Amino acid sequence: MAEEKKSLNFLEQIVEDDIKAGKNGGRIHTRFPPEPNGYLHIGHAKSICLNFGLADNYGGQTNLRFDDTNPVTEDTEYVESIKADVRWLGFEWENELYASDYFDQIYDFAVTLIKKGLAYVDDQASDMIAAQKGSPTVPGEESPFRYRTIEENLDLFERMKAGEFADGEKVLRAKIAMDHPNMHMRDPLIYRIKHATHHRTGNKWCIYPMYDFAHGQCDSIEEITHSVCTLEFDVHRPLYDWFIEKLGIFPSKQYEFARLNLSHTVMSKRRLLQLVNEKIVSGWDDPRMPTISGLRRRGFTPASIRNFCEKIGIAKRDNLIDVGVLDFCVREDLNKSAARVMAVLDPLKVVITNYPEGQTELLSIENNPEDIESGKREVPFSRELYIEREDFMEVPAKKFFRLGPGLMVRLKGAYIIQCDDFVKDAAGNVTEIHCSYVPNSRSGEDTSGLNVKGVIHWVSIEHAITAEVRNYDRLLIIEDSSQVGDQFKKFLNPESLTVIPQVFVEPSLKDAEIGKSVQFMRKGYYCLDPDTTADKLIFNRTVSLKDTWAKEKNK
RNA sequence: UGACCGAUGGUGUAAUGGUAACACUACGGUUUUUGGUACCGUCAUUCAUGGUUCGAGUCCAUGUCGGUUGACCA
């Protein structure tokens, strides 16, 4: 019995060590903690797969917890989209929770801190507080309000809660050390006044805890064992631990991993929002967006995204993953499942001169050579066809295995044809080509003995239906958007969306379902966009097929 | 210029002191009624220097480079 040793990432290692040491009775409990102020993106998918995966693999549970401590920016619209996206990715949470569920408890935690002399109300304006913070190399100064009595702090904090003060008039701060080398430990703000309506608690509260005084407390209340977050929270960990220790509550532990950076796109919520607000994209679900909803509309499958997250790994060093990896994952998945169909995107008319006028025959073509179970469909063939313009060359290049004067190709699932002649317009463009077919070369019953190298796709003009095609490509022309900051808009790819208003597709596509992926043979994977109407089919390109001829051609 | 984190092929991720591996990309080739898929092959003395050790990618020290961190955001 060959024992295959699966290599562990550093978090799995920690979890296994903890289980071995009997920590928390061997219990594993993680959480995915989005703030409901934006849509989920592929970076969140990495975190979702990590948190749910860790729990799944070690018999644990995962909570979905909305980090809703800032009523000004948060909304239920986002809550709903986040839930839908997590489910679509294939995960089911143990408990649906909200930081706002714990506002009473967190308030009590603050009171506890005040009573221990570890928190105080500061009356200063934010710029004053900021000035007193000092800098990484210069110690901060203590607030003149730092040594108020416990009674006074208790009274003031209660009156903050009661709504006696305006926004910004007072804050509650933890009393740690103004000369701490870690800036986050210099008496951080833990409560602020915001007279705003919260999406869940309405107007019950006018004070709200800050992230640092909410996240770890929620983790602790839920007895989360492994609180996994991204690297930038590393510097918050001493504070995370400080609150838990001073409060004497369940000791959740925080661990940090490197967030996903994807090439040729932007990932920060702020920049994605900018693309939406400035109408550079059509919305959060624009197929060019790295959002889960954008990827879904683009035609990515949940399995392809999960595989992607598995493939890129978990570590602590900064990384930049090439979008090509995502392309690979979706091709890998769709290759097995997507039905093959024929679509001509850039038509060139072909007349089969020796095929009877008015005759039609139905050819039976397999739906997917990778999946015999998928069966066959009937495709109509007739005298006049469209083929792809790029499949004909007036003066064929070396190694061009398609049509040109005197050259032969197989029409996929049909006959072998030979190009006899072509017609040009006044401008010198080829407008149609004349071919003759080999009657005994019909696919599956070929007795011609001919062996042609090229196989091309086609549609019967008489039977074809039309559709709009939206070809998507990478959002940016540069790999690493982190190097250009807010200048990223200067590097938008003008070809991130190319619309082809009218293409010709085989009639079976009349019954295409929204969101279902198909392969346009020799072109790429496409899926029907929700913008589709009764009289207009719209297909999004998920990803093109690999094209080694494109490379050969450019040699 | 403080604190913290990191450094392994073009890109990611492994190797848990004992022969540097896997995937993607790229480049060759085989198969193919998709120039797709599948399959085969090619591409590395682990940032530098010193130390510990029989043995170091791994441990220690110093340096270099990169990242994070100073919102009444999370």
Side-chain angles (χ1 to χ4, degrees):
Chain A
M1 206 166 63
E3 189 88 354
E4 196 167 322
K5 206 187 290 172
K6 185 184 168 282
S7 70
L8 304 176
N9 65 49
F10 78 100
L11 288 171
E12 292 169 327
Q13 188 64 250
I14 287 167
V15 167
E16 288 202 359
D17 289 347
D18 286 350
I19 289 172
K20 212 168 291 172
K23 217 169 178 180
N24 300 309
R27 186 176 59 87
I28 301 301
H29 204 147
T30 59
R31 101 268 92 112
F32 172 62
E35 185 191 9
N37 71 343
Y39 283 70
L40 259 28
H41 54 62
I42 182 85
H44 292 110
K46 179 179 180 182
S47 172
I48 291 167
C49 291
L50 210 211
N51 278 295
F52 282 90
L54 231 32
D56 282 351
N57 292 340
Y58 296 98
Q61 302 184 336
T62 304
N63 291 348
L64 173 62
R65 184 175 69 232
F66 291 95
D67 223 333
D68 55 351
T69 56
N70 187 356
V72 183
T73 55
E74 295 154 4
D75 196 275
T76 45
E77 172 201 350
Y78 299 116
V79 169
E80 294 312 314
S81 79
I82 288 168
K83 282 158 64 177
D85 286 348
V86 173
R87 283 214 179 90
W88 178 77
L89 277 173
F91 298 100
E92 196 49 57
W93 47 90
E94 205 60 37
N95 302 297
E96 178 182 328
L97 301 163
Y98 296 81
S100 54
D101 292 340
Y102 311 124
F103 280 170
D104 284 295
Q105 285 169 83
I106 296 171
Y107 178 83
D108 289 342
F109 286 149
V111 170
T112 300
L113 243 31
I114 294 172
K115 285 181 177 164
K116 288 186 169 184
L118 295 172
Y120 61 96
V121 173
D122 197 333
D123 298 357
Q124 300 181 101
S126 63
D127 50 352
M128 196 61 204
I129 293 176
Q132 289 169 350
K133 273 250 150 129
S135 77
T137 49
V138 179
E141 304 162 34
E142 295 186 346
S143 163
F145 300 96
R146 196 170 196 264
Y147 296 99
R148 289 219 249 232
T149 64
I150 289 173
E151 290 67 32
E152 192 184 0
N153 280 318
L154 247 19
D155 174 61
L156 253 16
F157 187 50
E158 195 178 323
R159 287 163 59 195
M160 278 168 65
K161 180 192 179 193
E164 285 188 31
F165 308 109
D167 287 9
E169 209 176 319
K170 287 184 167 37
V171 291
L172 185 69
R173 291 227 255 168
K175 192 192 285 186
I176 306 179
M178 288 308 292
D179 59 353
H180 201 286
N182 182 334
M183 298 292 287
H184 292 277
M185 299 295 272
R186 319 247 264 222
D187 288 12
L189 271 64
I190 61 179
Y191 258 96
R192 76 291 214 191
I193 300 171
K194 275 181 193 282
H195 290 271
T197 302
H198 186 277
H199 75 111
R200 299 194 91 231
T201 60
N203 294 317
K204 177 177 176 188
W205 296 89
C206 63
I207 57 171
Y208 294 91
M210 299 285 290
Y211 167 84
D212 285 309
F213 197 61
H215 199 98
Q217 286 49 57
C218 295
D219 284 342
S220 184
I221 290 166
E222 295 172 13
E223 302 203 336
I224 297 301
T225 56
H226 300 262
S227 180
V228 178
C229 61
T230 45
L231 252 26
E232 68 269 27
F233 291 100
D234 180 298
V235 276
H236 293 244
R237 181 150 36 85
L239 187 53
Y240 183 99
D241 291 337
W242 191 88
F243 285 132
I244 283 178
E245 187 210 320
K246 299 303 178 194
L247 258 13
I249 54 181
F250 180 84
S252 295
K253 292 289 178 197
Q254 175 185 298
Y255 302 94
E256 309 85 20
F257 72 99
R259 67 160 3 113
L260 163 68
N261 295 300
L262 197 57
S263 75
H264 305 278
T265 191
V266 288
M267 202 76 97
S268 88
K269 251 184 222 177
R270 203 172 63 76
R271 298 205 173 107
L272 293 176
L273 184 63
Q274 202 177 339
L275 291 170
V276 173
N277 286 344
E278 296 176 20
K279 309 258 192 261
I280 293 167
V281 297
S282 65
W284 285 100
D285 70 342
D286 185 296
R288 288 168 291 183
M289 294 282 272
T291 51
I292 304 298
S293 50
L295 292 166
R296 176 166 56 228
R297 186 168 176 184
R298 174 89 169 249
F300 282 78
T301 57
S304 67
I305 294 173
R306 279 187 257 115
N307 287 343
F308 171 77
C309 292
E310 181 65 31
K311 201 174 289 278
I312 59 177
I314 300 293
K316 292 193 77 159
R317 67 188 90 102
D318 293 317
N319 59 79
L320 179 62
I321 310 286
D322 197 292
V323 277
V325 180
L326 236 196
D327 291 346
F328 170 82
C329 290
V330 74
R331 284 193 191 107
E332 184 184 43
D333 191 37
L334 258 19
N335 176 50
K336 292 178 292 189
S337 62
R340 273 57 170 172
V341 293
M342 294 195 284
V344 174
L345 307 190
D346 183 14
L348 175 60
K349 184 175 174 181
V350 173
V351 179
I352 316 270
T353 51
N354 60 340
Y355 194 87
E357 281 185 55
Q359 179 172 318
T360 294
E361 62 185 300
L362 290 175
L363 301 166
S364 185
I365 305 181
E366 77 275 7
N367 285 321
N368 184 353
E370 302 295 316
D371 176 18
I372 305 305
E373 305 285 293
S374 67
K376 296 186 164 192
R377 71 187 183 290
E378 300 205 308
V379 182
F381 181 84
S382 66
R383 187 171 197 262
E384 298 193 339
L385 313 171
Y386 282 134
I387 64 165
E388 214 67 65
R389 180 164 290 274
E390 64 176 10
D391 286 339
F392 173 82
M393 281 182 94
E394 192 180 334
V395 183
K398 257 194 302 186
K399 293 197 200 168
F400 184 72
F401 310 131
R402 307 179 195 175
L403 277 182
L407 295 182
M408 289 181 135
V409 288
R410 153 93 50 198
L411 293 172
K412 173 67 192 178
Y415 298 93
I416 293 172
I417 58 171
Q418 176 169 30
C419 174
D420 303 318
D421 198 9
F422 57 91
V423 181
K424 281 185 174 182
D425 64 12
N429 302 309
V430 177
T431 53
E432 64 176 65
I433 64 177
H434 297 333
C435 297
S436 48
Y437 83 116
V438 181
N440 62 344
S441 67
R442 192 164 123 151
S443 214
E445 48 200 62
D446 184 356
T447 56
S448 70
L450 293 169
N451 196 12
V452 296
K453 177 130 178 129
V455 179
I456 64 172
H457 61 280
W458 52 274
V459 293
S460 163
I461 294 177
E462 184 193 338
H463 305 91
I465 57 177
T466 60
E468 175 180 311
V469 152
R470 298 175 180 174
N471 282 338
Y472 293 100
D473 202 346
R474 33 207 64 173
L475 226 205
L476 303 181
I477 55 170
I478 49 167
E479 274 200 331
D480 189 357
S481 65
S482 75
Q483 297 304 308
V484 300
D486 286 330
Q487 300 294 299
F488 75 96
K489 283 189 290 176
K490 289 186 181 160
F491 302 96
L492 290 166
N493 178 5
E495 293 174 1
S496 62
L497 169 60
T498 310
V499 176
I500 307 177
Q502 190 181 60
V503 307
F504 297 90
V505 304
E506 60 172 68
S508 69
L509 247 16
K510 163 169 68 29
D511 303 318
E513 294 169 44
I514 303 272
K516 181 124 182 239
S517 292
V518 293
Q519 184 196 100
F520 287 177
M521 288 198 92
R522 306 207 301 138
K523 286 291 163 191
Y525 294 98
Y526 287 78
C527 74
L528 200 64
D529 189 86
D531 281 351
T532 292
T533 60
D535 42 30
K536 187 181 181 190
L537 296 173
I538 300 173
F539 287 96
N540 293 327
R541 182 172 72 191
T542 308
V543 65
S544 66
L545 251 34
K546 277 211 261 175
D547 185 357
T548 51
W549 167 246
K551 275 178 281 188
E552 181 69 30
K553 194 169 50 177
N554 294 327
K555 275 181 184 169

